[in-house]
Amino acid sequence: MTLMEPVVDVTGAEDIARDVVVIPNRRVPLVPNIGIIGGRDAVLVVETGMGPRNAEKVLAFAAEYAKGRELYLTTTHFHPEHAFGAQVFTAATYLVNRQQAQDRGGKGPGYLAMFSGLGDAIARELHGVELTPPDLVYDQSYDLDLGGRVVELRATGRAHSRGDQVVRVPDEDVLFTGDLAETGQFAIFPWFPPHDVDVSGIRWIEVVRRLAAEHPRVVVPGHGDPGGPQVLADVLDHLELLRDETWLRQDSAMDEQTIVDEVTDVLVRRRPDWEGRDWIEKGVRCLCAER
Ligand SMILES: [Zn+2]
């Protein structure tokens, strides 16, 4: 089990573009892909890892990489492995979109309790988490000038969560999607009624369609290996199939559990190598409720 503990390993960090580094999640559950984006004067860190100990490692790596350049931090959405380590970045400016800041303040404590109950390894990483507020909040879009490089922070509107944002590096055409895209696994639907029903399959499809139309050269997903434009095409294909297969059965007044079973079967046959099959059920139930 040691290998599957939600621990960030900075030794695997790799350059994916000029002055853009990813600390890959090595397909470890509850470890996100973490980005480091450099400019002449400043460095932006994307995602913290889960809890203060993971975030300390990310901060140490980023500080060494920055070599005295100013530090910024952003997170793609409020979920624990992406954002529950921000407290250690005291010397950095933490900036996010307004809706994400509201998610963090409103839903953060509930997620902290829920995730701490998921197992000892997770509870250990979450011990001592403080949901410190961001230093800077923007509404829809923010262009962060790192010196000779402007990074685009864009709120996408509700999809995987209410407060998703993507991070784009235009000069190298790199897109960090957070959990709007994963590779090697089924889309993560945090559908936890009655506590959290913010995820929207319908809006998610619209957001991914929009992002895919821009054909980014490099796509860094929330979890799984980075890739090219095909990453977004695959996610869109999956989400649309999930929607269509679910609604087709709902139209014939099939009971929800049978829909879950049948749609899971269809989707697993389409992507036999993908992990996270349990997320299909949550996706089906979300889309049933959205009809
Ligand atoms: Zn997430």
Side-chain angles (χ1 to χ4, degrees), residues 18-19 37-43 66-70 145-150:
R18 181 182 59 83
D19 217 351
I37 304 163
R40 185 188 59 237
D41 308 320
V43 168
K67 292 189 170 60
R69 288 177 285 182
E70 193 179 348
D145 190 348
L146 300 176
R149 164 175 273 173
V150 174

Side-chain angles (χ1 to χ4, degrees), residues 16-22 35-37 149 151-152 166-177 214-221 226-227:
I16 58 157
R18 181 182 59 83
D19 217 351
V20 181
V21 173
V22 168
I36 319 276
I37 304 163
R149 164 175 273 173
V151 176
E152 298 174 355
V166 294
V167 178
R168 194 165 161 261
V169 187
D171 63 87
E172 287 285 329
D173 203 8
V174 176
L175 181 72
F176 290 82
T177 66
E214 294 170 8
H215 301 287
R217 187 177 65 85
V218 180
V219 177
V220 182

Side-chain angles (χ1 to χ4, degrees), residues 17 22 26 30 81 89 110 116 133 145 160 168 179 189-190 244 267-268 272 289:
V22 168
R26 302 165 295 133
L30 293 177
E81 77 272 31
F89 285 77
S116 297
D145 190 348
H160 168 80
R168 194 165 161 261
D179 287 347
F189 273 77
D244 294 347
L267 294 183
V268 166

Side-chain angles (χ1 to χ4, degrees), residues 20-212:
V20 181
V21 173
V22 168
I23 303 171
N25 81 324
R26 302 165 295 133
R27 302 220 174 170
V28 178
L30 293 177
V31 173
N33 287 317
I34 294 168
I36 319 276
I37 304 163
R40 185 188 59 237
D41 308 320
V43 168
L44 171 66
V45 178
V46 183
E47 319 288 38
T48 69
M50 191 164 66
R53 279 154 297 277
N54 280 314
E56 289 283 4
K57 283 194 258 181
V58 175
L59 175 60
F61 179 90
E64 190 179 319
Y65 184 82
K67 292 189 170 60
R69 288 177 285 182
E70 193 179 348
L71 277 183
Y72 288 88
L73 169 70
T74 194
T75 49
T76 56
H77 60 300
F78 82 101
H79 287 158
E81 77 272 31
H82 297 267
F84 283 16
Q87 72 200 63
V88 310
F89 285 77
T90 48
T93 303
Y94 180 28
L95 71 162
V96 298
N97 49 311
R98 186 170 308 283
Q99 189 59 63
Q100 181 183 165
Q102 288 172 1
D103 281 350
R104 181 177 178 82
K107 296 218 141 123
Y111 266 70
L112 183 56
M114 175 169 70
F115 273 66
S116 297
L118 292 178
D120 289 347
I122 297 167
R124 207 158 41 235
E125 298 307 333
L126 288 174
H127 183 72
V129 164
E130 289 168 32
L131 294 169
T132 47
D135 302 301
L136 200 160
V137 171
Y138 72 88
D139 285 316
Q140 294 304 322
S141 72
Y142 191 91
D143 291 344
L144 178 63
D145 190 348
L146 300 176
R149 164 175 273 173
V150 174
V151 176
E152 298 174 355
L153 309 183
R154 298 286 183 267
T156 64
R158 178 180 156 217
H160 168 80
S161 71
R162 266 201 313 160
D164 298 306
Q165 73 156 339
V166 294
V167 178
R168 194 165 161 261
V169 187
D171 63 87
E172 287 285 329
D173 203 8
V174 176
L175 181 72
F176 290 82
T177 66
D179 287 347
L180 294 168
E182 323 292 0
T183 53
Q185 70 166 86
F186 293 99
I188 297 170
F189 273 77
W191 176 256
F192 303 118
H195 309 292
D196 193 351
V197 292
D198 284 349
V199 55
S200 164
I202 296 171
R203 286 165 181 259
W204 194 342
I205 288 168
E206 293 312 314
V207 168
V208 174
R209 187 179 290 136
R210 225 162 52 223
L211 296 174

Side-chain angles (χ1 to χ4, degrees), residues 258-278:
T258 310
I259 300 176
V260 167
D261 295 342
E262 289 195 11
V263 173
T264 298
D265 197 51
V266 170
L267 294 183
V268 166
R269 268 190 280 124
R270 172 91 143 210
R271 305 283 185 185
D273 53 326
W274 281 12
E275 293 173 3
R277 293 176 180 182
D278 290 349

